[in-house]
């Protein structure tokens, strides 16, 4: 990993996530010296976290007796978009839902293994699940704005959860809407219901909502599967712009989409990770025969 | 393959070969069920007619002034309903004031917080509470609740909030306050089970969104579950109100049956329903007619509460279908 956070402010918030558990004394503190952002410092989204690298180690996930994810080892690297492709039911959504621990919200679901955010195991004992989700944002398959809230309140919701001071909220909401490419379309009607937006706008509203709390990682679970091609293109462009700010993992069963947005592509089949590599190599010259068959459309 | 009628076997046309019941069963079933459905409407209409007929002479004698005067004097045949309307309003609203937060808490616990396996047993227990006959609740109110309130709760409330006229310094084992508590017990099962059904219509994806955003359970409830359910909760409370306003037996047992309008909720009072239940037997014709007038007021109130609640519920269901 040769990532250098050169032009961004580094904020080490790793302690927040583990504040409730005694840290081992030898725990490394990879604090790079904070540097001033060269870009508009007004937007909090320009800042970047030291904690941004996700590594799954021997991750298993179950629904009751159904073994949905079978020992996956995979990294989501900072500054890069990782796409996870594979046929329906291969466990790709389940796998990313283990990262922000939404998997365990489903009755009867459980998981095993390690999910490391830098050096902290998000599944470890004593880790606060609410804190995990503030570090790891998520965008769902179907846009799910809060049904009773205005556009503004939707984006402000996460900030209110964290007790952000009132005078900061407006700026951060505007910045998040700007970052999600929605500002020009909703300016002047922020008090209208979030549900009044079109499908694609609703999905970008959900992206803005997730970005507002400045997560280190953004998981996107088939974010475009319910959208038309134009709205899809907008989201894909957005993913390209956001990857410098936040580590992104995109689950998709659209291989062309993986080809367009991802730096790294992982292919899953029947709960197992078959192959992971640079996107171009995965689509042109994969090592595994099953990957080859899948990307050339022989099945799936 | 086409077959025209002329070549079809004759039994296809005449239905011969099928028994009488077989041939006319469906039509008979339709008529019987239609009759049953019509009957309920006829009964509602009949009751309304009879109640208005009974109230007729009181309505023509006292007019709308009946609602605002409070003397109830069978000897001089002067009747006014204000004190009973007051008793009904205070006991019902008081009960709902306690029952609503309690019911919402029960519903939130059962839909969002309780361990999954314990949800159904607890829900059944709460609903069984609604199955206790009201006369038994009233008996319990006389024997246990009234004395307990009189000796413990009322002095404590007076000590803490005595500066509010509602919690004046005279205590009694019967009165508005025990009636409120009894009505609370009777309305909580209804309001909580309806509220629970309303909570079940909240889109899971919205709740998931709140959790994934780093919301606590409480955040999730306040951002999605409660705001989305507001019209449904109001409907549930209206139905609870309808139940409380109409309850006669248990209230008659614990309210003390004393006339008058007093700010103090600890002393005996009377409601419309309990007055009808307590006085009708042996009353003079005009007195009976005045009680009929009370019944008219009660009936209109009940139909309004019930109707508004139903409209709200329909709105919630429609929205649940859309999203």
């Amino acid at each position: 990993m040769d990532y250098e956070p050169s032009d961004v402010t580094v904020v080490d918030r790793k302690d927040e996530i583990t504040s409730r558990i005694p840290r081992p004394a030898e725990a490394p503190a990879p604090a790079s010296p904070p540097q001033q952002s060269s870009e508009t410092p007004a937007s909090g989204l320009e800042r970047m976290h030291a904690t941004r690298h996700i590594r799954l180690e021997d991750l298993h996930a179950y629904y009751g007796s159904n073994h949905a994810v079978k020992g996956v080892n995979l990294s989501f690297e900072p500054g890069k978009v990782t796409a996870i492709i594979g046929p329906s039911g291969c466990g790709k959504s389940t796998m990313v839902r283990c990262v922000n621990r939404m998997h365990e919200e489903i009755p009867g679901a459980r998981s095993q293994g390690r999910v490391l955010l830098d050096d902290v195991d998000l599944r470890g004992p004593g880790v606060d699940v609410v804190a995990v989700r503030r570090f790891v944002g998520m965008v769902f398959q179907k846009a799910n704005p809060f049904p009773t809230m205005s556009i503004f309140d939707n984006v402000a919701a996460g900030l209110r959860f964290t007790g952000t001071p009132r005078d900061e909220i407006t700026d951060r909401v505007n910045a998040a809407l700007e970052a999600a490419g929605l500002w020009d379309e909703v300016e002047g009607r922020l008090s209208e219901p979030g549900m009044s937006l079109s499908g694609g706008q609703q999905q970008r509203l959900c992206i803005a909502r997730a970005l507002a709390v400045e997560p280190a990682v953004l998981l996107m679970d088939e974010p475009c599967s319910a959208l038309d091609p134009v709205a899809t293109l907008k989201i894909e462009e957005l993913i390209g712009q956001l990857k410098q700010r936040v580590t992104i993992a995109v689950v998709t069963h659209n291989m062309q989409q993986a080809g367009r947005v991802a730096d790294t592509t992982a292919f899953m089949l029947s709960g197992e990770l078959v192959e992971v590599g640079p996107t171009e190599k995965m689509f042109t010259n994969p090592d595994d025969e099953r990957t080859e068959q899948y990307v050339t459309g022989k099945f799936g | 393959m086409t077959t025209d009628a002329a070549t079809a076997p004759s039994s296809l046309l005449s239905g011969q070969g099928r028994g009488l019941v077989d041939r006319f069963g469906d039509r008979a079933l339709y008529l019987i069920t239609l009759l049953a459905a019509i009957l309920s409407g006829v009964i509602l209409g009949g009751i309304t007619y009879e109640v208005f007929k009974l109230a007729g002479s009181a309505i023509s004698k006292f007019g709308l002034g009946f609602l605002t005067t409070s003397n109830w004097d069978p000897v001089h045949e002067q009747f006014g309903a204000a004190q009973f309307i007051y008793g009904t309003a205070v006991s019902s609203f008081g009960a709902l004031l306690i029952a609503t937060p309690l019911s919402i808490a029960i519903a939130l616990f059962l839909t969002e917080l309780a361990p999954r396996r314990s949800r159904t047993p607890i829900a059944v227990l709460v609903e069984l509470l609604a199955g206790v006959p009201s006369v038994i609740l009233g008996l319990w109110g006389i024997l246990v609740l009234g004395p307990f309130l009189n000796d413990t709760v009322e002095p404590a409330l007076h000590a803490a909030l005595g500066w509010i006229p509602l919690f004046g310094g005279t205590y009694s084992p019967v009165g508005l306050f025990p009636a409120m508590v009894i009505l609370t017990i009777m309305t909580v099962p209804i309001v909580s089970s309806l509220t629970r059904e309303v909570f079940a219509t909240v889109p899971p994806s919205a709740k998931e969104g709140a959790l994934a955003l780093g919301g606590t359970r409480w955040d999730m409830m306040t951002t999605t579950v409660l705001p989305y359910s507001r019209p449904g909760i109001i409907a549930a409370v209206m139905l609870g109100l309808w139940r409380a306003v109409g309850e006669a037996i248990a209230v008659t047992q614990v309210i003390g049956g004393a006339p008058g309008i007093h700010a103090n909720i600890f002393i005996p009072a009377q409601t419309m329903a309990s007055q009808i239940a307590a006085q009708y037997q042996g009353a003079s014709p005009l007195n009976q007619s005045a009680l009929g007038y009370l019944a008219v007021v009660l009936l209109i109130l009940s139909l309004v509460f019930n109707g508004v609640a139903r409209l709200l519920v329909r709105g919630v269901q429609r929205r649940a279908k859309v999203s």
Side-chain angles (χ1 to χ4, degrees), chain A residues 156-201:
Chain A
L159 297 170
R160 292 186 175 130
F161 294 166
T162 53
T164 308
R166 270 173 175 281
D167 50 336
E168 263 182 52
I169 286 184
T170 309
D171 285 346
R172 289 182 63 177
V173 166
N174 295 350
L177 284 168
E178 182 82 49
L182 198 57
W183 177 252
D184 294 338
E185 290 158 65
V186 300
E187 188 185 0
R189 54 187 190 114
L190 294 180
S191 58
E192 287 177 21
M195 288 298 204
S196 68
L197 299 174
S198 72
Q201 288 173 327

Side-chain angles (χ1 to χ4, degrees), chain B residues 115-141:
Chain B
R116 216 153 271 271
R117 273 192 211 168
S118 67
R119 290 180 187 184
T120 310
I122 297 174
V124 168
L125 273 181
V126 173
E127 277 170 36
L128 273 181
L129 199 56
V132 177
S134 61
V135 69
I136 293 176
L137 264 183
L139 213 55
W140 175 77

Side-chain angles (χ1 to χ4, degrees), chain A residues 212-230:
Chain A
V213 294
E214 295 178 25
V217 179
L218 187 62
L219 309 171
M220 305 179 95
D221 187 0
E222 304 199 21
C224 304
S225 63
L227 302 180
D228 63 70
V230 176

Side-chain angles (χ1 to χ4, degrees), chain A residues 20-248:
Chain A
R20 298 188 186 188
I21 46 166
R23 299 269 312 275
E26 73 276 14
S32 324
Q35 293 173 0
Q36 206 52 44
S37 169
S38 57
E39 303 164 1
T40 51
S43 161
L45 294 165
E46 307 298 331
R47 284 182 287 165
M48 197 176 291
H49 311 287
T51 47
R52 316 208 315 144
H53 187 264
I54 289 279
R55 202 162 75 250
L56 312 179
E57 290 183 354
D58 194 27
L59 183 73
H60 294 260
Y62 305 82
Y63 296 98
S65 60
N66 174 16
H67 196 170
V69 176
K70 301 167 184 167
V72 167
N73 293 285
L74 182 62
S75 281
F76 304 154
E77 288 174 13
K80 291 185 178 170
V81 176
T82 306
I84 299 114
I85 61 171
S88 296
C90 70
K92 54 195 191 300
S93 288
T94 307
M95 185 190 76
V96 297
R97 287 171 64 96
C98 288
V99 178
N100 65 345
R101 295 182 55 180
M102 286 300 287
H103 177 63
E104 67 201 58
E105 295 295 331
I106 296 163
R110 63 199 168 83
S111 58
Q112 259 173 35
R114 306 215 302 162
V115 177
L116 298 167
L117 177 62
D118 288 2
D119 58 343
V120 179
D121 185 0
L122 298 181
R123 297 183 65 269
V127 167
D128 179 17
V129 63
V130 169
V132 167
R133 292 172 188 158
R134 287 175 186 170
F135 277 81
V136 185
M138 188 165 211
V139 175
F140 294 84
Q141 191 166 355
K142 188 167 172 277
N144 59 349
F146 296 128
T148 56
M149 286 190 195
S150 67
I151 294 169
F152 182 91
D153 287 341
N154 257 287
V155 183
L159 297 170
R160 292 186 175 130
F161 294 166
T162 53
T164 308
R166 270 173 175 281
D167 50 336
E168 263 182 52
I169 286 184
T170 309
D171 285 346
R172 289 182 63 177
V173 166
N174 295 350
L177 284 168
E178 182 82 49
L182 198 57
W183 177 252
D184 294 338
E185 290 158 65
V186 300
E187 188 185 0
R189 54 187 190 114
L190 294 180
S191 58
E192 287 177 21
M195 288 298 204
S196 68
L197 299 174
S198 72
Q201 288 173 327
Q202 284 187 23
Q203 193 61 296
R204 278 181 284 145
L205 181 66
C206 292
I207 294 174
R209 181 175 74 182
L211 290 175
V213 294
E214 295 178 25
V217 179
L218 187 62
L219 309 171
M220 305 179 95
D221 187 0
E222 304 199 21
C224 304
S225 63
L227 302 180
D228 63 70
V230 176
T232 299
L233 188 65
K234 280 196 174 148
I235 304 254
E236 288 177 357
E237 285 171 1
L238 192 55
I239 292 171
Q241 290 159 17
L242 291 173
K243 68 179 181 182
Q244 289 307 320
R245 302 175 174 178
V246 55
T247 304
I248 296 178

Side-chain angles (χ1 to χ4, degrees), chain B residues 93-111:
Chain B
F93 281 108
L96 261 300
L97 223 54
I98 313 172
T100 304
L102 208 59
S103 302
I104 292 175
I106 291 172
L108 280 179
F109 178 71
L110 287 178
T111 51

